């Protein structure tokens, strides 16, 4: 019996080998047909756009992009520039992409975010990461209603509250940085330190007292998983970075939803707002009360639940976190490289604020720091944190008279490339371009796309500039610093926003008498 079983098993393997051998040519033909179809499909979509003539099956240029994103996007920009067309093409992980260098065409994309044209996606595979109900995926009246409800979160009163929080967090972290540098000065890399500073700032400004110490630690771990997943190949399978990032986002949103519920109860009790979610819940409860008092029922109450608002809070945190880290690092690097600018910043801040008196910088003083604000805006222009703003074509869209973006293509308007068009000597770091006399922020407004444009322009840009101004004022007043310069230290690295290649490694020491 045992012999017969083994015999049948051998016959089965032989039959399987025969079947595989017989089907081999067909499988090869099918594979060859698929590869040919993919190449022809890419070339048809590419049409006259500059870009590679052959793409690696499925992956396309994904590996070169992940291995050296700076070189990859510089190459796309060069193709768009040198061709004179302002756009170029490529292929990434099964998706046809269009890179837009032209400011005019970038505005055309931003101005046509609607169901039958372009959909803002934030990341090529953002819906899988952020969820379908993310603010950036909204259109028309739903999007307008949400932005209206968000507006009180960035009122003058709210921003003044945030300035106090931002300042406390910045000062605590500067104290820690100086302690790390003492007693014998040694160079320290600021990227992760700035990331931690901004994460604590965002947590405290947005969620205030509703995050416990343990919740913050888990929050930090999950946010790191999310960041790693952003830069990974989007394999949505257990064990892969993208999959772990999705789970981390779900946990982050659950945590923030709990903060929403707590805030709602506190605002219902009549307490004063102490963070962004408080301002939001105060306004939400006011709208609900007005809707209930409206006998005619004309005004519907807000429909956002705790989980949905928690998701929007995560959107704010993501938008603020990595972009702000990038700007803080470039501010340090550029001020070190331009001592004349640094001296003017220090003089302006010293004329308005004396740290030895122990009083914090007020919102009014931040507004009076005109030159420091110009420096902050020039940092953002010169090194826009989010260099591109990806959109997907919901339908075929005529971008120009001679080229139609095919349905499903991912389009990358480049804020970085626009920053170096139009402005006077755009390759020069020159904060005076934002002075009242030159007013290049108005004259060349169309080229300043660091905060986007159109209906989805960043709602928190005043908050972002305030944070950068505060950091510059405190850092330059309280810290002496010198860049630890190495070959290529100022080259751009993507992480995923842009940062100095050396993570902005500096020597730090306390400036003047102890005052932190």
């Amino acid at each position: 019996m045992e012999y017969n079983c083994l015999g049948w098993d051998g016959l089965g393997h032989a039959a399987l080998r025969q079947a595989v051998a017989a089907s081999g040519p067909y499988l090869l033909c099918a594979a060859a047909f698929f590869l040919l179809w993919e190449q022809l499909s890419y070339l048809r979509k590419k049409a006259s756009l500059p870009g590679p003539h052959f793409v690696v099956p499925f992956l396309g240029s994904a590996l070169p992009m992940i291995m050296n994103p700076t070189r990859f996007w510089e190459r796309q920009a060069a193709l768009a520039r040198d061709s004179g067309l302002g756009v170029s093409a490529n292929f990434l992980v099964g998706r046809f992409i269009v890179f837009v260098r032209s400011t005019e065409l970038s505005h055309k994309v931003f101005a046509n975010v609607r169901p039958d044209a372009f959909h803002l996606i934030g990341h090529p595979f953002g819906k899988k990461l952020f969820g379908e109900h993310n603010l950036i995926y909204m259109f028309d009246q739903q999007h307008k209603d949400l932005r209206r409800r968000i507006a009180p979160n960035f009122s003058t009163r709210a921003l003044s509250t945030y300035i106090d929080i931002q300042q406390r967090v910045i000062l605590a972290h500067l104290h820690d940085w100086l302690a790390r540098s003492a007693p014998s000065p040694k160079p320290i890399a600021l990227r992760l330190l700035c990331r931690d500073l901004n994460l604590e700032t965002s947590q405290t400004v947005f969620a205030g007292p509703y995050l416990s110490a343990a919740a913050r630690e888990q929050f930090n771990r999950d946010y790191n998983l999310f960041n790693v997943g952003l830069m990974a190949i989007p394999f949505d399978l257990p064990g892969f970075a993208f999959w772990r990032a999705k789970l981390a986002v779900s946990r982050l949103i659950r945590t923030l939803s709990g903060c929403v519920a707590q805030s709602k109860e506190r605002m219902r009790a009549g307490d004063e707002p102490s963070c962004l979610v408080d301002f939001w819940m105060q306004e939400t409860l006011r709208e609900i009360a007005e809707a209930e008092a409206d006998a005619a029922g004309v005004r519907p109450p807000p429909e956002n639940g705790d989980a949905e608002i928690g998701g929007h809070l995560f959107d704010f945190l993501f938008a603020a976190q990595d972009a702000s880290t990038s700007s803080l690092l470039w501010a340090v690097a550029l001020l070190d490289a331009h001592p004349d600018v640094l001296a003017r910043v220090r003089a302006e801040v010293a004329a308005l604020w004396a740290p030895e008196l122990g009083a914090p910088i007020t919102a009014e003083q931040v507004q009076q720091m005109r030159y420091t604000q110009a420096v902050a805006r020039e940092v953002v222009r010169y090194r826009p944190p989010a260099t591109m703003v990806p959109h997907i074509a919901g339908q075929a869209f005529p971008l120009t008279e001679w080229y139609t973006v095919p349905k499903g293509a991912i389009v990358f308007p480049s804020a970085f490339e626009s920053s170096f068009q139009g402005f006077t000597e755009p390759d020069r770091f020159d904060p005076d371009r934002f002075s009242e006399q030159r007013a290049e922020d108005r004259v060349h407004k169309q080229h300043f796309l660091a905060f986007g444009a159109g209906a989805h322009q960043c709602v928190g840009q005043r908050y972002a500039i305030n944070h950068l101004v505060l950091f510059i004022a405190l850092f330059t007043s309280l810290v002496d610093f010198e860049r630890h310069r190495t070959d290529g230290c100022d080259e751009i690295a993507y992480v995923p926003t842009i940062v100095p290649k050396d993570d902005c490694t500096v020597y730090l020491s306390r400036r003047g008498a102890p005052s932190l």
Side-chain angles (χ1 to χ4, degrees):
M1 180 67 73
E2 183 178 345
Y3 175 81
N4 287 337
C5 287
L6 290 172
W8 280 110
D9 188 55
L11 288 173
H13 279 90
L16 180 62
R17 284 195 297 270
Q18 279 187 325
V20 170
S23 61
Y26 298 102
L27 292 173
L28 288 174
C29 286
F33 175 79
F34 172 77
L35 295 179
L36 179 62
W37 176 84
E38 188 176 62
Q39 295 296 318
L40 291 176
S41 175
Y42 164 74
L43 292 173
R44 177 180 58 81
K45 294 174 181 178
K46 174 178 173 292
S48 60
L49 298 188
H53 298 294
F54 172 83
V55 292
V56 176
F58 181 68
L59 288 178
S61 300
L63 289 179
M65 192 271 287
I66 291 172
M67 296 297 292
N68 194 332
T70 304
R71 182 181 302 168
F72 175 82
W73 293 114
E74 284 178 349
R75 172 65 175 160
Q76 290 301 130
L79 288 170
R81 180 188 64 245
D82 296 345
S83 67
L85 300 178
V87 289
S88 60
N90 213 311
F91 190 76
L92 294 173
V93 195
R95 303 299 292 265
F96 177 73
I97 72 164
V98 176
F99 178 88
V100 182
R101 181 181 182 273
S102 161
T103 297
E104 179 185 353
L105 296 181
S106 290
H107 275 281
K108 194 168 185 178
V109 174
F110 289 130
N112 286 280
V113 177
R114 58 178 195 268
D116 63 341
F118 294 109
H119 305 177
L120 178 63
I121 56 174
H123 182 274
F125 299 90
K127 281 194 176 183
K128 286 188 175 182
L129 270 180
F130 306 130
E132 295 281 343
H133 301 293
N134 188 284
L135 169 64
I136 62 177
Y137 304 132
M138 292 183 176
F139 299 103
D140 303 327
Q141 195 59 44
Q142 181 189 26
H143 178 248
K144 290 178 183 177
D145 287 344
L146 182 58
R147 284 183 68 98
R148 176 180 57 79
R149 288 176 177 138
I150 287 171
N153 302 341
F154 299 101
S155 65
T156 301
R157 175 176 168 236
L159 290 171
S160 296
T161 299
Y162 307 155
I163 280 175
D164 290 338
I165 299 171
Q166 291 165 295
Q167 193 165 182
R168 288 198 303 270
V169 175
I170 293 170
L171 286 172
H173 281 262
L174 292 183
H175 181 81
D176 176 66
W177 296 2
L178 289 169
R180 289 169 182 261
S181 298
S184 57
K186 54 184 178 295
I188 60 173
L190 292 185
R191 182 171 73 85
L192 296 183
L193 297 178
C194 283
R195 182 201 66 181
D196 292 344
L197 182 160
N198 284 322
L199 192 53
E200 183 178 348
T201 303
S202 298
Q203 289 171 343
T204 311
V205 168
F206 299 157
Y210 309 116
L211 281 175
S212 66
R216 286 177 184 248
E217 289 181 10
Q218 181 61 47
F219 200 104
N220 294 348
R221 288 193 291 269
D222 282 335
Y223 196 84
N224 185 60
L225 290 173
F226 164 71
N227 252 346
V228 172
L230 278 178
M231 298 296 290
I233 294 177
F235 289 149
D236 193 11
L237 297 170
F240 285 91
F242 190 83
W243 180 80
R244 289 194 294 269
K246 277 183 59 180
L247 297 181
V249 169
S250 297
R251 290 192 295 269
L252 289 166
I253 291 175
R254 280 198 301 271
T255 299
L256 291 170
S257 300
C259 297
V260 172
Q262 294 179 64
S263 172
K264 198 176 290 182
E265 289 303 312
R266 186 167 168 266
M267 293 302 99
R268 193 174 278 125
D271 291 350
E272 282 297 308
S274 63
C275 61
L276 184 145
V277 70
D278 283 348
F279 282 101
W280 195 340
M281 290 306 96
Q282 186 181 66
E283 180 67 14
T284 298
L285 292 172
R286 185 190 64 78
E287 287 196 21
I288 291 173
E290 289 182 356
E292 290 173 348
D294 185 358
V298 174
R299 182 181 301 179
E303 298 177 354
N304 305 94
D306 293 354
E308 189 172 346
I309 294 174
H312 296 321
L313 282 177
F314 175 73
D315 302 343
F316 293 161
L317 190 141
F318 169 57
Q321 170 63 26
D322 295 306
S324 185
T325 297
S326 170
S327 293
L328 266 55
L329 294 171
W330 286 114
V332 173
L334 291 166
L335 286 169
D336 175 79
H338 298 83
D340 56 326
V341 175
L342 174 60
R344 289 178 64 182
V345 167
R346 282 175 165 161
E348 178 180 72
V349 175
L352 292 167
W353 177 67
E356 61 272 12
L357 298 180
I361 298 174
T362 65
E364 291 75 18
Q365 287 171 326
V366 169
Q367 296 307 310
Q368 291 170 356
M369 295 178 183
R370 299 295 177 83
Y371 184 71
T372 308
Q373 290 208 18
V375 171
R377 291 189 176 278
E378 178 67 346
V379 168
V380 173
R381 181 203 71 86
Y382 194 76
R383 289 293 182 263
T387 58
M388 294 164 290
V389 188
H391 294 65
I392 190 168
Q395 299 291 336
F397 185 87
L399 189 63
T400 68
E401 293 181 357
W402 45 266
Y403 184 73
T404 296
V405 176
K407 178 181 178 179
I410 298 178
V411 182
F412 290 87
S414 176
F416 185 89
E417 292 298 318
S418 289
S419 289
F420 294 93
Q421 300 170 32
F423 292 99
T424 304
E425 296 183 85
D427 292 328
R428 190 162 73 92
F429 181 75
D430 179 14
D432 282 321
R433 72 176 75 253
F434 291 106
S435 66
E436 292 183 3
Q437 292 74 25
R438 289 170 59 181
E440 290 192 27
D441 52 333
R442 294 194 295 273
V443 176
H444 301 296
K445 182 180 178 180
Q446 72 273 25
H447 296 291
F448 190 77
L449 296 178
F451 295 106
H456 283 265
Q457 188 174 35
C458 176
V459 70
Q461 57 183 288
R462 285 176 62 199
Y463 167 81
I465 291 296
N466 281 352
H467 185 62
L468 184 52
V469 170
L470 268 175
F471 175 80
I472 292 172
L474 293 168
F475 184 78
T476 58
S477 298
L478 303 172
V479 179
D480 278 321
F481 60 101
E482 181 182 350
R483 191 81 178 279
H484 177 63
R485 294 203 165 271
T486 55
D487 289 341
C489 64
D490 284 327
E491 292 178 9
I492 291 173
Y494 284 77
V495 291
T497 51
I498 58 171
V499 300
K501 189 176 180 180
D502 72 335
D503 286 349
C504 196
T505 301
V506 293
Y507 293 93
L508 302 178
S509 61
R510 190 179 300 275
R511 177 177 171 80
S515 53
L516 288 179

